[in-house]
Amino acid sequence: MERKLLAILLALAMLVTFAPVAVFADTDDVSTADESAMLTEDEPGEVTEGGVNADPPHAEAGWDESHCHYYNEDGSLATGWIEEKHSFELASGEVVNWSDWYYADDKGEIQTGWLKYHRKWYYLFPGEGDTYGRMCTDPIRIDGKTYVIKKNGVLNTDGWYHATGFASDGIVKFYYDEWYYSDPKGVAAEGWKKVGRKWYYFNSSGIMQTGWQKIEGKWYYFNSLGAMQTGWQKIEGKWYYFNSSGAMQTGWQKISSKWYYFNKSGVMQTGWQKINGNWYYFNSSGVMQTSKWIGSYYVKSNGCMAVSETTPDGYYVGSDGKYIGKSGTGTSTGIVYWTDGGSVIIID
């Protein structure tokens, strides 16, 4: 009887020993299903409020290695406008401070190219490295056109824009002072442009020109405000004349029924001038003189100085044009001229 009872107890012990194996196998299957149910539906790498897919806060504030994301001090991804401050000391000891701006979308991705924000356009540099996504703050050339971008990064779409500032090579500052004129799309004018009633000229970079400019072989002058000049202009103490199209005039010019002469540089001439072998006299106003004595010389109705001939008022001038004396009467050998000193000259 005792042996029978011992056999029963031994069988029960064996059941207890092997039963947990099957239970643990079932438990493994259920545990795997539960963990799968905990996963979120977010894409791998996205920051979520819970679940195994959530990224830990970034260790340091600033840019990641790709320069495509910027992290706040609390480790979160920055979105919207991002300001990055800079400071630099020139060789002169002057400290220059400035800020670069970037824009990240709601996922923290730094944007590049054209950005429309609150109905205004901005341009963010593409490329690589530190310039990636940086907001442009100066006029820029894109696809053969100059777009007028202001210091605050906004595309200028309403005409005139005055760009001022400085650039630096790390040693000294280089100041610039430039005017642009843009159309409603922000594209800068190039070449001739009439604004209001005045004409302006812009180079291939869209910068308004001033002073002397040679355009298609002709010289023009633009005042300090960029307006093309016409008519009489006194420039650095010299007089010039520009026609109605603004082109500087040279050579003989009849202006308001009076004759003037401008040299090859366009400067109005005064006093005695030898032109094409003849001498002419222009008064202090530049007007060619006619039919009158200029000291001891006589200029005829066409403005030429008389040479070796009798003037209309009866005086004789020599080969150099200088007055010799009053003409006398005719003789068989020629004409007698009496000088003021009483001597006689006979011209055969």
Side-chain angles (χ1 to χ4, degrees):
M1 182 68 178
E2 290 179 357
R3 290 180 179 178
K4 191 174 185 179
L5 179 62
L6 181 60
I8 293 173
L9 290 174
L10 181 60
L12 289 173
M14 292 179 63
L15 288 174
V16 172
T17 302
F18 290 103
V21 175
V23 172
F24 282 129
D26 292 341
T27 302
D28 285 343
D29 292 339
V30 173
S31 175
T32 302
D34 288 344
E35 286 182 7
S36 178
M38 290 175 63
L39 294 175
T40 67
E41 295 180 356
D42 296 297
E43 294 294 327
E46 285 193 350
V47 178
T48 62
E49 295 182 356
V52 298
N53 235 21
D55 288 339
H58 200 262
E60 296 180 1
W63 295 103
D64 63 3
E65 292 183 0
S66 67
H67 207 271
C68 295
H69 305 88
Y70 190 89
Y71 292 88
N72 297 315
E73 291 184 357
D74 62 1
S76 62
L77 271 173
T79 60
W81 287 107
I82 301 167
E83 181 181 14
E84 186 178 46
K85 296 182 178 181
H86 301 278
S87 182
F88 184 82
E89 183 176 351
L90 300 176
S92 62
E94 179 183 0
V95 176
V96 179
N97 299 302
W98 76 97
S99 292
D100 288 333
W101 288 89
Y102 302 81
Y103 187 84
D105 64 14
D106 56 3
K107 292 184 179 180
E109 296 287 340
I110 296 298
Q111 303 298 289
T112 62
W114 288 107
L115 170 71
K116 191 174 186 180
Y117 181 81
H118 288 180
R119 297 193 296 179
K120 295 180 180 179
W121 285 98
Y122 299 80
Y123 186 76
L124 310 172
F125 287 108
E128 300 178 352
D130 295 344
T131 61
Y132 182 81
R134 190 181 70 198
M135 182 183 77
C136 180
T137 57
D138 290 297
I140 185 173
R141 194 80 174 170
I142 303 173
D143 296 332
K145 298 178 181 179
T146 297
Y147 289 86
V148 184
I149 298 177
K150 298 187 282 190
K151 280 295 179 187
N152 61 1
V154 176
L155 179 69
N156 184 70
T157 58
D158 53 1
W160 288 108
Y161 174 63
H162 190 196
T164 59
F166 71 90
S168 174
D169 61 359
I171 301 176
V172 295
K173 284 183 177 180
F174 300 95
Y175 290 90
Y176 57 89
D177 186 339
E178 301 164 344
W179 282 92
Y180 297 81
Y181 189 89
S182 58
D183 63 17
K185 293 184 178 180
V187 178
E190 296 179 17
W192 288 104
K193 177 70 177 179
K194 190 175 185 179
V195 183
R197 296 182 179 181
K198 298 179 180 179
W199 283 96
Y200 300 83
Y201 189 80
F202 301 84
N203 67 11
S204 58
S205 297
I207 301 171
M208 182 193 78
Q209 302 299 283
T210 61
W212 288 104
Q213 301 295 326
K214 191 174 185 179
I215 304 169
E216 296 181 355
K218 298 180 180 180
W219 283 99
Y220 298 82
Y221 188 78
F222 302 86
N223 66 14
S224 60
L225 299 178
M228 182 193 76
Q229 302 298 284
T230 61
W232 287 104
Q233 299 295 327
K234 191 175 186 179
I235 303 169
E236 296 181 354
K238 299 176 181 180
W239 283 100
Y240 300 81
Y241 188 79
F242 302 86
N243 65 15
S244 59
S245 297
M248 182 192 77
Q249 302 299 285
T250 60
W252 286 105
Q253 299 295 327
K254 191 174 185 179
I255 303 169
S256 300
S257 302
K258 298 177 181 180
W259 283 98
Y260 299 82
Y261 188 80
F262 302 85
N263 66 13
K264 292 181 179 180
S265 298
V267 178
M268 182 193 78
Q269 302 298 283
T270 60
W272 286 105
Q273 301 293 328
K274 191 174 185 180
I275 305 169
N276 295 330
N278 297 312
W279 284 95
Y280 299 83
Y281 187 81
F282 303 86
N283 67 12
S284 59
S285 297
V287 178
M288 183 189 76
Q289 303 299 286
T290 61
S291 303
K292 65 188 299 184
W293 286 94
I294 308 296
S296 299
Y297 302 87
Y298 187 84
V299 290
K300 299 182 288 188
S301 59
N302 63 357
C304 289
M305 182 185 74
V307 177
S308 300
E309 59 185 285
T310 301
T311 64
D313 52 358
Y315 292 89
Y316 184 77
V317 293
S319 60
D320 60 356
K322 192 172 183 179
Y323 162 84
I324 294 178
K326 191 171 184 179
S327 62
T329 58
T331 67
S332 59
T333 58
I335 301 176
V336 177
Y337 294 88
W338 297 93
T339 67
D340 289 343
S343 58
V344 176
I345 298 175
I346 299 177
I347 306 298
D348 292 332

